[in-house]
Structure formats: C-alpha cells, structure tokens
Amino acid sequence: MSKAGALDLASGLGGKIDKTEVLSAVEKYEKYHVFYGGEEEERKANYTDMVNKYYDLVTSFYEFGWGESFHFAARWKGESLKESIKRHEHFLALQLGLKPGHKVLDVGCGIGGPLREIARFSSTSVTGLNNNEYQITRGKELNRIAGVEKTCDFVKADFMKMPFPDNSFDAVYAIEATCHAPDAYGCYKEIYRVLKPGQCFAAYEWCMTDAFDPNNAEHQKIKAEIEIGDGLPDIRLTRQCLEALKQAGFEVIWEKDLAIDSPLPWYLPLDKNHFSLSSFRLTALGRFFTRNMVKALEFVGFAPKGSQRVQDFLEKAAEGLVEGGKKEIFTPMYFFLARKPLSDSQ
C-alpha cells in the first residue's frame, strides 16, 4: 500500500527535515555535486549527510512514482513494470538459496518494499539496514499494514559501520544501494564480517560499464546527472566492484550485467518516447503533471519551498539514466553472487 495522492506526496516532502528548512537543505545538497562546483572527495567525505539529505528530499517522490520498491528491473515483453520488479526480487532470493528460518540482511533497504516481498516469498526473517530516519519510520508503518512486523524489522545504522556481531546472517543482499558507499571495499568488508562463513552475498550495483569513456564530455555529463539526481558520491566501474569484492575476501560465484540481455530496456519507464497507463506517473506526461502539481502545491503552501527544485534534479537524473542506458555506458543491474569461504584459508 503506497502513498497515492497529491496531499500524501506534499505531506511527505522533506522527510524529517523541518518544512521551513527544505529549501536550504536542497541548496546544500546541490552544492555537493559537479553541476554546482562540488568535488568527488567532498561527496565521499560527507556521504552520510549528503545521502540522508537526498532521501529526506526524494522519498515521497519515489514512492509516488515507483511504489514501495525503488529499483529498476530487467523486463520481459508482456510483463508489467510491477511484475518485473517482483521477479527481480524473487531472483535474488533464489540465487541466495533462501530457506524458511534464515536470518537475512537487506543493506540499504529504503522503505522496505523488497524486504517485505522477499520475506513473504521465502518465509525468512529480513532485517533492513538504513541510515535514514524518515524511511525507517515509513517502512515500519508499511510493515504494520502488510502484517509482516514479526518477521521484518529495521535497524538505523551506517552500512560502513554495522552494529551487528561477526557471522550474524545466513544471507545478505543489496539492491541498488551500496552505490551510495564512499568506498566499495569498506562496504563489502563490513558485509563479509556480518555474513556467516559459507554463506552468500548478492547484489545489484549501479555502475559505469567498460563503454564509459572518462575523456568523453558527454559521458561525463551523463554520469554527473545521475550522481546529482540519485545521491551518489561517485559511480564505479563494474570491474572496480568486482575487484573490491575479491579484496574483501569473497569468492565470486558469478557476475553479469543483466541489462545486456533484457528483452525490454530497463530505462523504458523513464523514456519520454514511451507511454504506459500502468506506470503513468513515470512517463513524460505523468512527470509533467507531477511537476505542475508540485509547483501548485508549493505555491499554495501545502508543499515546502524547495520541492520544485527536488523535482528538477530528479528530472535531470531521469534524463541521465535514459541516455546512459541508451549509450550502454551505465547499468543499474550489475549482478553478482559471492560467497564467504568457510575459513580464511579456503
């Protein structure tokens, strides 16, 4: 059950930020990024503040447009966006071999759409790790509505410094979340620490592909649009993620950019040339209505000042994602399945 109405969108804008301070939060967030003179090192040094501001500002927009699961998916012809998202989540559960009674960790869980789906699909207990208070509050309410509060819970913490003992979980996954980490190795090493020996970690990572040319100005512009629109300190190459996994101690079972074989492009919902009634709010026309609705709500005082600026950088992200997908220089679904050895000597 997701927020569906205009007033729900307006009431959630800004998350836990005081409504009178949303505009200044937007301005501070924007200054972290290339378009406003920001530097990568500053974004990495202040990733907690940057990512928290980002999710306070955008969560209501995400839920209004996407529902409870904030991620893309490979998609078959004849399959709806909602169906593809569920299948994308079920695929993770199957790859991890989840079984009833397993204790599972969702790293960077958002408002918990995937963890609720995976817990119900696999009859497991899933803990969502998230450092954003507003998303956790919203996720707990959705858990209660779904009736899964006994098997699904949330922990507020930084995934670079997890508050769990060593060898705590039977499986760990991340869906388009660890891209927010300032250091992939440090993040994967923490996941390695809390995962039980012999068990697996699976993820979908946001990455630049080998087709990305750092000396190409258009490629750099696309990368910068995605970074500002999605709260990212940097976007790593697929091979950098793979190397970080190995350095952290994982055995990589298999890895692949799943965007390559997707019958329908993953970016189709955001493509201005595509129209769909089932995902109308994500289409060009739907986004036009949302943009003007937010403008009106901000004008009459129902939405805080700065809301339209948030909509603007989300639009910039959508443009960058579509262009990055079309040029095949960016993927939101670099998948890997990696195992923690039974012993360090293995």
Side-chain angles (χ1 to χ4, degrees), residues 29-247:
Y29 171 76
E30 287 175 338
K31 286 175 182 175
Y32 281 122
H33 290 276
V34 171
F35 285 103
Y36 297 87
E39 298 288 340
E40 179 186 325
E41 290 309 312
E42 184 184 6
R43 293 195 296 277
K44 288 182 175 179
N46 296 282
Y47 75 94
T48 300
D49 179 66
M50 184 188 73
V51 174
N52 255 313
K53 278 188 171 58
Y54 175 76
Y55 279 112
D56 273 332
L57 293 168
V58 306
T59 293
S60 285
F61 280 105
Y62 272 23
E63 192 174 351
F64 185 77
W66 284 97
E68 296 175 24
S69 293
F70 305 161
H71 63 80
F72 293 99
R75 191 169 165 189
W76 291 97
K77 292 178 180 178
E79 187 177 43
S80 70
L81 176 63
K82 186 176 180 180
E83 288 169 342
S84 70
I85 283 173
K86 284 181 179 288
R87 182 175 51 75
H88 207 57
E89 293 163 359
H90 295 171
F91 179 81
L92 266 186
L94 292 169
Q95 288 297 310
L96 287 167
L98 299 187
K99 294 179 175 57
H102 274 177
K103 187 178 175 184
V104 184
L105 178 65
D106 180 332
V107 177
C109 62
I111 60 172
L115 72 82
R116 283 183 289 277
E117 184 64 32
I118 286 172
R120 288 179 295 210
F121 177 74
S122 60
S123 298
T124 53
S125 297
V126 186
T127 297
L129 186 73
N130 192 327
N131 210 17
N132 183 270
E133 186 179 347
Y134 174 69
Q135 288 197 333
I136 288 177
T137 300
R138 180 65 183 144
K140 285 180 176 179
E141 173 63 11
L142 290 169
N143 279 1
R144 186 191 64 77
I145 292 168
V148 296
E149 63 268 45
K150 290 183 179 179
T151 56
C152 298
D153 64 350
F154 295 89
V155 171
K156 185 181 185 302
D158 183 346
F159 52 39
M160 303 297 288
K161 295 171 286 191
M162 297 187 199
F164 307 118
D166 295 356
N167 310 322
S168 294
F169 294 95
D170 298 296
V172 181
Y173 68 84
I175 302 177
E176 302 181 22
T178 46
C179 50
H180 291 292
D183 168 32
Y185 165 76
C187 181
Y188 295 162
K189 193 67 179 175
E190 265 296 88
I191 290 169
Y192 183 94
R193 181 183 67 78
V194 302
L195 183 63
K196 291 178 182 177
Q199 303 304 107
C200 290
F201 166 44
Y204 297 117
E205 279 283 11
W206 279 33
C207 293
M208 305 312 292
T209 70
D210 287 339
F212 172 72
D213 179 1
N215 298 313
N216 183 308
E218 186 180 10
H219 287 194
Q220 285 288 9
K221 178 177 178 289
I222 290 168
K223 180 174 180 284
E225 285 175 340
I226 298 171
E227 287 168 351
I228 188 173
D230 294 284
L232 305 177
D234 186 28
I235 308 176
R236 291 174 277 272
L237 293 166
T238 54
R239 62 176 178 268
Q240 290 175 317
C241 289
L242 186 61
E243 184 59 31
L245 273 174
K246 293 175 180 177
Q247 288 178 349

